Amino acid sequence: MTGDTSRAYQERYGWDLRTTGVVSLSAVFTAVLLLPNIPLIARILGLPLFGAGGLFMAYMAQSRKVAFRVDETGVLLGGNPARYGATTAHVPWNDIKGLVLWRQVAGGASVSYVGVARRKGAPALPGDGPNARAALKRLVPVPADTAIASRAMTGWRVDKDRLAAAVAHFAPGTPVHDDR
């Protein structure tokens, strides 16, 4: 990378309250499933869900891979740690109209996201396609294109002030909307 990296804004996957809770709860359920007299069907169904799920969340937190980055080249949307290379996307500044902080609510729970509003005609990102767009139109409170160019803040969070400062430095005039 060349240029001014001192004002770059970056977040890495790590431990947060939600990740710690999921890993802890998964460990408890896994331990219970290993107790004697637990039905075999409960073990068959529960161990992959809680054991593997908890291990994956712990791996994600321990990976310390870049989850999100704003620098002189644009915005890096870090991918899933298990398939990081295939799911990471870079959006250059000339494709960006703005950044959006948004929340997906499902029942009593919600997850915060950071997304990129992209210009019409920008190249497709991983996960883009007609089926994904059709589903997203009905499921999320932002345009499908923004949802595809979004990352869930699981194992990390955005400091809105630092993000806005980095965006103002590298792409003056590019808005950062907080729709949470």
Side-chain angles (χ1 to χ4, degrees):
M1 224 183 277
T2 61
D4 182 8
T5 59
S6 65
R7 294 191 187 222
Y9 174 77
Q10 178 173 286
E11 295 292 343
R12 292 182 177 275
Y13 289 106
W15 293 96
D16 66 356
L17 189 58
R18 181 173 289 184
T19 303
T20 302
V22 168
V23 170
S24 299
L25 196 59
S26 293
V28 168
F29 279 123
T30 299
V32 168
L33 288 169
L34 294 174
L35 291 173
N37 299 326
I38 296 297
L40 180 61
I41 189 71
R43 288 183 182 172
I44 290 171
L45 296 174
L47 287 175
L49 176 65
F50 295 110
L55 285 174
F56 178 74
M57 289 293 284
Y59 167 75
M60 181 181 79
Q62 289 297 115
S63 75
R64 302 295 298 150
K65 292 181 178 180
V66 175
F68 182 77
R69 181 177 172 87
V70 172
D71 62 22
E72 72 275 4
T73 65
V75 175
L76 177 79
L77 301 166
N80 177 319
R83 299 185 57 236
Y84 192 76
T87 56
T88 296
H90 180 266
V91 183
W93 286 117
N94 61 350
D95 287 348
I96 297 174
K97 294 189 304 184
L99 275 74
V100 182
L101 300 170
W102 59 282
R103 181 177 308 277
Q104 177 66 38
V105 178
S110 69
V111 176
S112 291
Y113 285 79
V114 60
V116 177
R118 300 181 318 133
R119 70 168 173 76
K120 192 169 185 77
L125 296 177
D128 197 353
N131 292 341
R133 285 178 179 272
L136 289 169
K137 279 184 183 178
R138 292 179 173 80
L139 297 175
V140 298
V142 295
D145 190 57
T146 301
I148 289 166
S150 293
R151 293 298 182 265
M153 291 185 239
T154 302
W156 59 282
R157 67 175 55 180
V158 163
D159 179 324
K160 183 182 172 193
D161 294 334
R162 288 182 39 231
L163 172 62
V167 171
H169 177 75
F170 294 116
T174 302
V176 177
H177 299 286
D178 192 344
D179 296 339
R180 295 176 288 176

